[in-house]
Amino acid sequence: MSDRTVPRALIMLLVVAGAVIALAGIKAIDTIVGPVVLALVLTIAVSPIRDWLTRKHAPGWTVVAVPFAAVIVVLLGMVAILTTAVVQMAVLLPTYSNQFNKLVADAQKWAAQHGIAPQVNKALQSFDPAKIFEFAQGLLASVLGVVSSLLLIVILLLAMSLDAPLISRVMSAASAERPAITNALTTFAHKTRRYLLVSTIFGLICAALDVVALYVLHVPLPLLWGVLALITNYIPNIGFVIGLVPPALLGLLTGGIRTMILTIVAYMVINIVVQSFIQPKFLGDAVGLTTTVTFLSLIIWATVLGPIGALLAIPLTLLTRALLIDSDPSAKWSAALVSGEIPKDQPRS
């Protein structure tokens, strides 16, 4: 009797079930997984410094201490800026109640002039003024929530920095016996570094231009919104919108509809031109993910790990691809579906 192969539909069902179980397990320990992945990504990001020190035959302690110190300085600097800005925002928000009441009165007057007062009044009655800044406060609180795990992140960074030279030697030694997995992990590290480098450079450009525009438009706390624009630049697809909402709302309260519209236009011109036309030319094939996969990864990792999952959606997806697809030579068509690139040994139509 000949062996019967397992139905492909059953295999797909088992894969989906396994993925759901794995993601549910990760979500159950998200307070651990998030800091671990963040520490891993930061360790990978500074690995060129470590490699340069090694090539220069620097003392062993500097190979560990210098990259570790570089990450800590960046983390503490960003935390200090965000903390200061959040305190300023907490002091500033209560002062806008009069402006909000004036906007409501103007909206009611305009609605009465155009014969749509009942509809507008109903909408205003169901609107809670406190919700104007709930989104901004919630987003900032989520970002600052990483601070609560800062000690764990620092400890993990130190441990990974100490182990990085050893792991590098192990990967080099294993490349002969396990070429597929070592090449997949090496590619993951390379793509992650390139993605972070390009995103950081263009995020800084966008953030600086956004801050200048907000200063010109007299929107309060421009530095805070610049830092927020830099952070949300790492969130694919919707990061630009998240970074735009709080300054647009503040622009509405401080300068009215005109300031809000000018803020939106300035952000759109700066971010769309830089991120949609210039950045992709430099990013190139650094990510190796289709637009659909990128968007789905954002939804999945944000659901599983929260805000830190949104920030690390691309590195997490690259790591998943390295472990489950790129390490398996027979999964070349799965890789093609994820990256949108036909395998090199296949003819292109």
Side-chain angles (χ1 to χ4, degrees):
M1 185 176 69
S2 60
D3 296 335
R4 297 182 60 185
T5 59
V6 180
R8 190 174 299 276
L10 178 58
I11 295 176
M12 293 299 298
L13 184 62
L14 292 174
V15 169
V16 172
V20 171
I21 294 172
L23 291 173
I26 294 174
K27 185 175 179 60
I29 55 172
D30 58 345
T31 55
I32 299 175
V33 175
V36 169
V37 176
L38 178 59
L40 174 62
V41 170
L42 292 174
T43 302
I44 291 173
V46 296
S47 60
I49 300 176
R50 188 180 305 108
D51 295 339
W52 181 81
L53 291 171
T54 301
R55 290 195 300 269
K56 296 296 182 179
H57 305 288
W61 67 270
T62 60
V63 175
V64 174
V66 173
F68 175 74
V71 174
I72 294 300
V73 168
V74 172
L75 281 178
L76 293 180
M78 187 168 293
V79 167
I81 293 174
L82 286 174
T83 303
T84 303
V86 167
V87 172
Q88 292 177 346
M89 189 174 181
V91 175
L92 185 65
L93 290 183
T95 64
Y96 285 105
S97 58
N98 292 334
Q99 287 89 331
F100 178 80
N101 293 331
K102 184 178 183 300
L103 284 172
V104 171
D106 291 342
Q108 291 173 334
K109 181 179 178 181
W110 179 86
Q113 293 174 346
H114 291 79
I116 55 173
Q119 295 87 338
V120 173
N121 289 334
K122 184 178 179 180
L124 291 174
Q125 288 173 359
S126 63
F127 179 71
D128 183 4
K131 291 183 179 179
I132 291 182
F133 293 104
E134 269 187 14
F135 178 81
Q137 290 176 315
L139 181 62
L140 292 171
S142 298
V143 173
L144 288 174
V146 179
V147 178
S148 62
S149 304
L150 190 58
L151 179 59
L152 176 59
I153 294 172
V154 170
I155 294 173
L156 288 168
L157 276 171
L158 179 58
M160 291 182 183
S161 297
L162 290 169
D163 290 339
L166 174 62
I167 297 299
S168 179
R169 291 195 296 270
V170 170
M171 292 288 291
S172 298
S175 60
E177 296 185 13
R178 297 289 188 271
I181 184 64
T182 54
N183 289 337
L185 292 176
T186 301
T187 302
F188 154 70
H190 172 72
K191 287 186 175 182
T192 298
R193 283 194 302 270
R194 188 175 175 188
Y195 165 73
L196 291 175
L197 177 62
V198 175
S199 297
T200 300
I201 292 174
F202 285 97
L204 287 171
I205 294 173
C206 287
L209 295 175
D210 290 340
V211 168
V212 172
L214 294 176
Y215 266 117
V216 172
L217 295 172
H218 303 290
V219 176
L221 305 177
L223 181 59
L224 168 61
W225 309 130
V227 175
L228 181 62
L230 173 60
I231 294 173
T232 55
N233 186 65
Y234 296 104
I235 302 177
N237 300 316
I238 65 171
F240 153 66
V241 178
I242 295 174
L244 168 62
V245 171
L249 289 176
L250 273 180
L252 174 64
L253 291 177
T254 56
I257 298 293
R258 179 177 178 274
T259 301
M260 182 184 71
I261 293 176
L262 289 176
T263 300
I264 294 173
V265 170
Y267 262 67
M268 289 182 64
V269 171
I270 293 170
N271 289 270
I272 291 179
V273 169
V274 173
Q275 295 181 359
S276 300
F277 295 101
I278 301 176
Q279 182 172 332
K281 297 182 182 298
F282 290 86
L283 195 60
D285 298 328
V287 177
L289 301 173
T290 64
T291 304
T292 302
V293 171
T294 300
F295 188 71
L296 288 176
S297 69
L298 170 65
I299 297 174
I300 292 172
W301 291 118
T303 302
V304 173
L305 296 178
I308 196 171
L311 289 172
L312 299 175
I314 297 300
L316 280 165
T317 304
L318 290 175
L319 178 59
T320 303
R321 172 181 171 173
L323 294 175
L324 301 182
I325 297 178
D326 293 343
S327 60
D328 183 2
S330 64
K332 60 183 180 180
W333 285 109
S334 297
L337 289 174
V338 170
S339 64
E341 298 178 358
I342 298 176
K344 294 181 179 179
D345 57 347
Q346 298 293 326
R348 294 177 179 268
S349 58

